[in-house]
Amino acid sequence: MALGHEHVGVNKFKQFDCVVDYSDHYYYHQSKPNQKSNSHGTMMINNRNTMKRIMKEWEILEKNLPASIFVRVYEGRIDLLRAAIIGASKTPYHNGLFFFDLQFPSDYPNNPPKVYYRSFGLRLNPNLYNSGYVCLSLLNTWGGKGTERWCPDKSTILQVLLSLQGLVLNEKPYYNEPGIKPAWSWESYNADVFALSCKTMLYLMKKPARNFEGFIAAHFRDHANVVLKACVAYRNGRVRIGLFDGDAPVGSKKKKVNVSKKFKDSMNELYPELYKAFNRIGAPVKNLPEKLEDDGAGKPANGIIGKLKRFWEAMTA
């Protein structure tokens, strides 16, 4: 169900809370046959040590979550957890929302939690597959040594969430890929990532994660203007992608960075969709056009310089 105009301020949304409805949780539908549940779907965790450890994890999260991470646990499924991470400033993920479904194994903490990224089929990071698979040393889903890997006595869910925010959703995710790089440069990859982050915003407003509906609407009402201004600034080469701080003059004619035709086209397509979606949820969009138009700034000149610029844009498209 798409979001409406219901107004619930982000500051009124608890960072940690226990809720009832887990019907759209990924692992509710993916439980292994050897993990028994009762007629109400409640997971039967019989290991007292596991239950005590999960309760301890809840306490740690409730007391120590940073302002940019929100968590919901479930009254009827102690083994499930959902987290929302706000994309950090100075990254191509800024102002975005990223959701992860977690499941504690029956022998927790001997083994790390399972983590599924709600990707909507998009791959906006080398560590986050479009299938939802999360590649991270701390989860033992990637190589690592010592404290990089899961340690039953020391590792926590909070540590996992902070790693996802700081190590995965970072300033230059291009360098997270150890093999064949996903683009020509980290700048061109950041352009792809920002466009995919914008698509994720649209999907979230159309199909919000359960128990986060009000939070998602409030978050995008608060940040709609910044996101739209960033689209304009990045498309027109005013500022390097990921570094828009909300104050850069959108109408400035000074071009700072090269922008590929591929990215310009993606912004031309996504911007009006975002504009309409933000309006539908009651975002106070101010002094911004409904669609993007080329302002002519930074157009390649004729001659050798112009040819080189056009060649560069074609290579990075």
Side-chain angles (χ1 to χ4, degrees):
M1 180 181 294
L3 296 177
H5 283 76
E6 63 274 12
H7 283 257
V8 178
V10 171
N11 59 349
K12 293 183 179 180
F13 191 80
K14 294 180 180 179
Q15 278 195 271
F16 180 91
D17 202 5
C18 184
V19 295
V20 176
D21 188 356
Y22 47 80
S23 59
D24 74 329
H25 196 285
Y26 177 77
Y27 289 108
Y28 168 62
H29 301 283
Q30 299 292 323
S31 297
K32 289 184 177 181
N34 62 350
Q35 292 179 312
K36 299 179 180 179
S37 60
N38 63 22
S39 59
H40 300 290
T42 303
M43 187 59 63
M44 304 289 286
I45 293 181
N46 297 317
N47 188 319
R48 181 172 296 182
N49 289 331
T50 294
M51 294 184 67
K52 287 176 62 177
R53 177 59 183 268
I54 293 175
M55 291 294 101
K56 182 180 179 181
E57 295 281 3
W58 286 15
E59 292 177 8
I60 293 172
L61 291 169
E62 187 171 19
K63 294 177 181 178
N64 298 286
L65 282 173
S68 53
I69 299 179
F70 295 76
V71 169
R72 291 295 178 267
V73 295
Y74 302 92
E75 183 179 309
R77 286 292 298 265
I78 191 176
D79 62 314
L80 303 182
L81 180 151
R82 172 168 290 166
I85 298 177
I86 299 175
S89 61
K90 298 184 179 180
T91 76
Y93 304 101
H94 68 80
N95 302 113
L97 289 177
F98 307 93
F99 282 83
F100 298 86
D101 285 355
L102 287 75
Q103 182 180 42
F104 296 97
S106 58
D107 62 347
Y108 187 82
N110 293 333
N111 282 295
K114 297 177 184 177
V115 181
Y116 172 82
Y117 169 57
R118 297 177 70 86
S119 71
F120 299 103
L122 306 174
R123 189 173 184 182
L124 45 60
N125 188 283
N127 299 77
L128 305 176
Y129 288 49
N130 55 7
S131 64
Y133 182 80
V134 177
C135 193
L136 191 65
S137 296
L138 188 58
L139 299 174
N140 295 347
T141 54
W142 182 251
K145 298 179 180 179
T147 56
E148 294 178 350
R149 294 181 66 79
W150 183 262
C151 177
D153 296 330
K154 297 180 180 180
S155 300
T156 66
I157 297 299
L158 178 61
Q159 186 181 356
V160 170
L161 298 179
L162 293 176
S163 295
L164 289 170
Q165 183 181 54
L167 300 179
V168 176
L169 301 171
N170 62 35
E171 181 181 356
K172 298 177 182 179
Y174 172 85
Y175 294 107
N176 285 23
E177 176 55 67
I180 299 175
K181 297 302 181 185
W184 285 92
S185 66
W186 70 263
E187 292 96 337
S188 61
Y189 187 63
N190 274 13
D192 293 340
V193 167
F194 180 75
L196 291 174
S197 179
C198 289
K199 287 185 179 181
T200 301
M201 296 178 196
L202 291 169
Y203 280 120
L204 283 171
M205 285 184 279
K206 185 176 181 180
K207 189 177 181 181
R210 201 149 296 164
N211 301 303
F212 284 86
E213 295 91 341
F215 169 74
I216 293 170
H219 173 82
F220 288 125
R221 276 195 294 268
D222 289 347
H223 296 92
N225 278 277
V226 172
V227 172
L228 292 174
K229 287 181 179 179
C231 290
V232 177
Y234 294 153
R235 182 206 178 279
N236 293 332
R238 309 295 173 232
V239 62
R240 195 176 298 279
I241 294 171
L243 299 183
F244 183 75
D245 61 4
D247 295 323
V250 171
S252 169
K253 296 294 182 180
K254 184 178 180 182
K255 186 172 182 180
K256 297 181 180 179
V257 295
N258 285 312
V259 181
S260 72
K261 182 180 184 301
K262 174 185 175 183
F263 180 72
K264 286 182 180 180
D265 290 344
S266 68
M267 288 298 99
N268 289 344
E269 178 183 347
L270 289 168
Y271 179 94
E273 293 185 41
L274 286 167
Y275 188 98
K276 293 176 183 177
F278 289 148
N279 268 290
R280 281 195 292 268
I281 63 172
V285 178
K286 299 178 181 178
N287 303 318
L288 288 168
E290 294 186 20
K291 62 180 181 178
L292 295 181
E293 294 182 3
D294 196 338
D295 61 7
K299 284 186 177 179
N302 292 323
I304 295 176
I305 299 298
K307 289 180 180 179
L308 287 173
K309 286 184 176 180
R310 286 191 288 273
F311 174 76
W312 185 91
E313 286 194 353
M315 292 295 289
T316 56

